[in-house]
Amino acid sequence: MTNKISVRQICFILLAYTAVSKFILYPTVLSFQSGRDLLFSALIDFLVQGVIIWAVSYLCSRTEKTLFELIEDTLGNITARIIYGLFALFFIVCTIVPLFEQKVYVHAIFYDTIPSLGAFVPFFFFAVYAASKGFQNIGRSADICLPIFLLSMLFILGMSVLEVKWDNFLPILKTPLKDVAGASLGTMFRFFEPCWLLMFMGHFKYKKGDAAKITLSYVGGALFVILILAVFYGVYGDISASRQFAISKISLFFPAIETVGRIDLIALYALEIVMLFALVLNLQLAVHCISKCTGYDNSPLYSLIINAGLLLMLIFLDNKFNDIHTFWSSWMWIVFLIFANIIPLLSWALRRRRARD
């Protein structure tokens, strides 16, 4: 039962975790690269990923196998183990930039009087524990996170939307196409949701219509991101590219803040819970992949090793985040194109029926 998850929980994950994983620096980067047409850059990536999410979710209606079983029955056990080992590395790679973002964000917004590394180290105690848990725990966490996410977003957007100046987006589509498309390509490393669904394949009971539910849940997460992007640029306009941590900046001009202080911090604290669970999900899936790759189920050990490695990386590369982000933007789109786009589509070529069928 530790490796079972429900369609409802998968929908919650694709709605809430998709959104919060793009709330910190993603809007600032898009503002810098594609200016007032940042919404179109985001739409390109979301459209591509939405199609792949649908393709994978529809594949789940055609087989009860897990991805590991699909690969094993088609290409053999050794190949399946190798591919899962590569997926483990991929999920760790997916964690690196968000991890550095979270460290900077938590320090700047919540603990600016404490050294940044010291403020974030406690995260790893949570991560070691959470990453050792199976799919059932992932699903229960999603059940908890969705209402927190929805209430936090309602609070933050309610304080922000009236401050938007929609003429900041005019004139529309005057940014060169190469800049709009380049921004989509340079931020592709932030889009890996189809790989979540690949890992969940075969671990939930598919019912008629679930592909539509899963896809629409992803669309819902995308709409939240688009809304935050619109509000962020609508509030700050041309200076958006110089404003980091968009989710914490859009409500600053709410009139009541001048009287009662930063009441938006209540929602930001709550939203941080969802952000941390979204971050840990990649580590949970990395541990799952290592267990399948090695054939030896020792999740606590794998979780400890992975998190120790990430902590050491955080310590030794503490001042190198800009270099890491530049490298990810320039070159890692190739890796994400393969794992989050090509492999999910190629999964349709695997043998979906069992031998006895």
Side-chain angles (χ1 to χ4, degrees), residues 237-278:
D238 292 338
I239 65 171
S240 297
S242 64
R243 296 294 181 268
Q244 295 183 333
F245 317 129
I247 192 64
S248 69
K249 294 292 195 297
I250 59 177
S251 58
L252 288 179
F253 298 103
F254 185 62
I257 286 182
E258 296 183 2
T259 305
V260 298
R262 291 292 305 274
I263 56 175
D264 59 321
L265 287 177
I266 299 172
L268 293 177
Y269 271 116
L271 197 61
E272 178 64 16
I273 297 172
V274 187
M275 289 183 178
L276 293 180
F277 275 107

Side-chain angles (χ1 to χ4, degrees), residues 53-65 70 197 201-202 204-212 214 348 352-353:
I53 287 286
W54 176 84
V56 176
S57 58
Y58 190 62
L59 175 60
C60 294
S61 71
R62 291 292 181 260
T63 181
E64 295 182 354
K65 296 179 181 179
L70 285 174
L197 194 53
M201 182 188 299
F204 65 94
K205 184 68 175 178
Y206 185 93
K207 297 179 181 178
K208 185 177 180 180
D210 283 346
I214 292 170
W348 271 93
R352 299 189 293 276
R353 295 183 179 274

Side-chain angles (χ1 to χ4, degrees), residues 95-109:
T95 308
I96 292 174
V97 168
L99 182 69
F100 277 86
E101 281 186 353
Q102 274 292 323
K103 182 185 78 70
V104 178
Y105 171 76
V106 166
H107 178 253
I109 304 303

